[in-house]
Amino acid sequence: MLAAQNLFSYYGKSPILQDLNFELASGKLFTILGRNGVGKTTLLRTLMGLTDRTEGRLTFNGADIGSTRTSDRALLGIGYIPQGREVIPRFTVRENIVMGTFARRDGKRTIPDYIFELFPILREFIDRRGGDLSGGQQQQLAIARALAMEPKMLILDEPTEGIQPNIVQQIEDVILRLNREMGLTIVIVEQNIPFARRASDQFILMDKGRIALAGQASDLTDEVADQYLTF
């Protein structure tokens, strides 16, 4: 479903990502790991066309998307939940979720029922402003907004960072359910090693803008974590 070949990504004239190569099959969960500042978020932004320019080849479902606009990538079925969530604080929960439907090809503006099954609190707070929710509830809202577009692939940037512990488990369970029960392809930046081991079909470890190691969950040993992830 997603593949990069000799991929470089730039901010200005500086290459932040250098010579990345990976492939992700449909229905798999792909985890991106690494210390702060190694290029993980830049990789997600590159997938969405949010860096200044790229070189190399980036394909989604066989189509080259390297020069495709961000809005058109969303229409292709790529949903993105960035760091900071970017919930619109003055919009209600309903209005925030409906925003996601504008990336649907069928033009429907209805909220899929399963979203409220995944996140019951959002039904309870449907008319509450997004800015009045807790951080964890806003993260649930951001995921719900992306799901409203009925994506083929979901990209999440550290979805449990700074979230209260009781909601962290809920979000992790939803991610696993989306992937394993609903077959949604997921790309996630994650710092929680136990969750990465439990959830991943494959992972890459990044260092200084390059892929230092790639493998399956069983390859994410304590020794690997100590070498590449310990600060």
Side-chain angles (χ1 to χ4, degrees), residues 33-54:
L33 300 156
R35 296 183 179 94
N36 291 336
V38 298
K40 303 185 303 296
T41 292
T42 298
L43 175 52
L44 299 191
R45 290 177 58 83
T46 299
L47 298 181
M48 292 307 302
L50 293 169
T51 58
D52 291 342
R53 67 184 176 92
T54 61

Side-chain angles (χ1 to χ4, degrees), residues 37-219:
V38 298
K40 303 185 303 296
T41 292
T42 298
L43 175 52
L44 299 191
R45 290 177 58 83
T46 299
L47 298 181
M48 292 307 302
L50 293 169
T51 58
D52 291 342
R53 67 184 176 92
T54 61
E55 294 176 356
R57 183 171 172 84
L58 181 64
T59 60
F60 179 70
N61 277 341
D64 191 329
I65 60 170
S67 59
T68 303
R69 296 181 303 176
T70 299
S71 57
D72 290 333
R73 297 186 197 202
L75 288 170
L76 288 173
I78 305 177
Y80 177 45
I81 301 102
Q83 281 183 318
R85 299 177 283 274
E86 297 185 7
V87 165
I88 298 180
R90 291 181 175 272
F91 279 19
T92 65
V93 167
R94 185 195 310 276
E95 290 167 339
N96 269 282
I97 298 174
V98 168
M99 280 185 59
T101 67
F102 283 83
R104 288 176 57 160
R105 285 187 173 274
D106 61 10
K108 293 181 179 179
R109 300 290 175 257
T110 53
I111 300 174
D113 289 337
Y114 79 90
I115 287 177
F116 296 118
E117 180 186 348
L118 295 173
F119 302 116
I121 194 67
L122 298 183
R123 186 190 299 275
E124 181 180 343
F125 290 166
I126 193 70
D127 294 317
R128 186 172 296 189
R129 288 186 177 183
D132 294 333
L133 303 183
S134 71
Q137 291 163 354
Q138 287 188 5
Q139 185 64 279
Q140 293 178 71
L141 177 56
I143 296 171
R145 180 179 58 195
L147 291 175
M149 65 178 280
E150 297 194 339
K152 297 175 182 176
M153 182 173 75
L154 192 64
I155 298 174
L156 304 101
D157 195 350
E158 296 197 45
T160 60
E161 183 184 29
I163 302 300
Q164 51 267 49
N166 64 312
I167 296 185
V168 167
Q169 186 64 54
Q170 295 177 35
I171 291 175
E172 290 179 349
D173 289 346
V174 164
I175 291 169
L176 287 173
R177 184 175 175 186
L178 289 169
N179 176 246
R180 294 178 179 174
E181 295 182 17
M182 303 177 67
L184 184 61
T185 306
I186 291 178
V187 176
I188 182 171
V189 166
E190 183 56 71
Q191 298 282 18
N192 184 330
I193 302 303
F195 178 67
R197 287 180 178 137
R198 182 161 59 102
S200 303
D201 292 299
Q202 60 192 93
F203 73 89
I204 58 172
L205 264 164
M206 297 189 63
D207 188 33
K208 298 179 181 178
R210 297 179 180 270
I211 296 176
L213 184 68
Q216 300 177 340
S218 59
D219 300 315

Side-chain angles (χ1 to χ4, degrees), residues 21-33:
N21 294 273
F22 59 82
E23 291 185 2
L24 175 62
S26 177
K28 301 300 184 180
L29 194 148
F30 182 68
T31 304
I32 302 164
L33 300 156

